[in-house]
Amino acid sequence: MKINVLAFGVAKEIFGSSLVSLELTNDATIYNLKYLLEQQYPRLKQLASYMVAVNNEYALPGDTIHERDEIAIIPPVSGG
Amino acid sequence: MQHTQVILTADTLDVPSCINWIMSPQSGGIDVFIGTVRNATKGKSVLRLEFEAYEPMAISEMEKICRQAFDQWPVQKVLVHHRTGTLQVGEIPVIIAVSAAHRAAAFEACRYIIDTLKQTVPIWKKEIFEDGEVWVAAHP
């Protein structure tokens, strides 16, 4: 399945775009997504940490991704 | 949630209107935290800050924190306003306001809200210096 990944903050600069498309297997997890992204964008591994959000909620590494989910990369937040 | 007001905006934040909204006849006190843009970080001059948000999730996370405050303390009203966009030194990126019958709950809830916001709400700030810029907290 093809999924779109939104990027914010420093992740947007690492991707060179606020939106990237990826091809994932149908039962892919957050862990699989992070692995694939880190292969394509090794600078992600230099971040202090980063989370993945699915449909506006923080996701866990074992969570499964579904087609049409809204996926976002959340680098360390710094609001306030 | 009529006792909660969460706003994410590119417009200037207005402290008096926040105080007006938070006050109520049932309140014995209100607690207001105002974040302001500091002119330096680690001894280095900051020219301005740029705030970016993942808007729908930032709003839902701020609303979640407000619900947690109501769950933990006997507070009456809770307000969170946060800016996006470019802010100059001295401008206000965030206002938290809490009203309660007694001050302890207002102080504690206010602190909880700003501390948790800084940890969980998907908003990012970039510090702009004379010789470069950096996303705050991005790298170890």
Side-chain angles (χ1 to χ4, degrees):
Chain A
M1 61 181 174
K2 179 172 162 265
I3 60 148
N4 293 320
V5 178
L6 301 171
F8 297 91
V10 69
K12 193 167 70 180
E13 291 178 1
I14 291 172
F15 292 172
S17 171
S18 58
L19 182 75
V20 296
S21 293
L22 290 177
E23 191 63 35
L24 289 178
T25 56
N26 279 337
D27 54 353
T29 62
I30 299 297
Y31 180 85
N32 300 143
L33 169 70
K34 290 179 83 162
Y35 183 83
L36 193 64
L37 284 171
E38 288 170 15
Q39 298 282 306
Q40 292 186 23
Y41 306 97
R43 284 172 60 208
L44 275 179
K45 290 185 278 190
Q46 295 165 9
L47 297 179
S49 64
Y50 70 96
M51 301 285 286
V52 178
V54 177
N55 301 327
N56 294 311
E57 293 282 348
Y58 286 108
L60 298 170
D63 290 351
T64 305
I65 296 167
H66 303 95
E67 210 166 3
R68 288 187 288 278
D69 278 347
E70 182 169 305
I71 311 285
I73 300 303
I74 312 287
V77 301
S78 53
Chain B
M1 286 192 290
Q2 60 182 9
H3 297 300
T4 301
Q5 187 179 78
V6 171
I7 293 177
L8 185 63
T9 177
D11 298 331
T12 304
L13 300 188
D14 182 49
V15 175
S17 73
C18 292
I19 293 174
N20 282 339
W21 187 86
I22 205 74
M23 284 174 66
S24 79
Q26 291 78 35
S27 297
I30 63 171
D31 206 272
V32 181
F33 174 81
I34 303 168
T36 53
V37 176
R38 193 172 52 226
N39 66 0
T41 186
K42 294 169 189 149
K44 205 170 168 187
S45 284
V46 171
L47 300 183
R48 62 183 183 276
L49 298 181
E50 289 176 10
F51 285 84
E52 177 179 322
Y54 178 18
E55 295 196 6
M57 184 174 172
I59 290 167
S60 75
E61 287 293 320
M62 290 191 284
E63 288 172 345
K64 202 180 284 181
I65 296 168
C66 293
R67 286 196 296 275
Q68 291 163 356
F70 279 103
D71 288 344
Q72 293 177 77
W73 292 280
V75 293
Q76 287 161 344
K77 284 181 163 185
V78 170
L79 172 149
V80 180
H81 288 191
H82 204 296
R83 272 293 298 275
T84 57
T86 301
L87 276 80
Q88 307 297 327
V89 170
E91 281 197 273
I92 298 173
V94 64
I95 300 173
I96 313 287
V98 180
S99 59
H102 303 286
R103 68 184 180 282
F107 274 119
E108 288 169 24
C110 188
R111 175 154 201 152
Y112 173 81
I113 293 167
I114 184 63
D115 288 352
T116 310
L117 180 152
K118 283 174 170 281
Q119 290 166 5
T120 66
V121 177
I123 298 176
W124 299 271
K125 65 170 159 266
K126 187 156 70 171
E127 290 171 332
I128 316 293
F129 306 106
E130 277 174 10
D131 60 348
E133 51 188 51
V134 62
W135 286 103
V136 175
H139 295 96

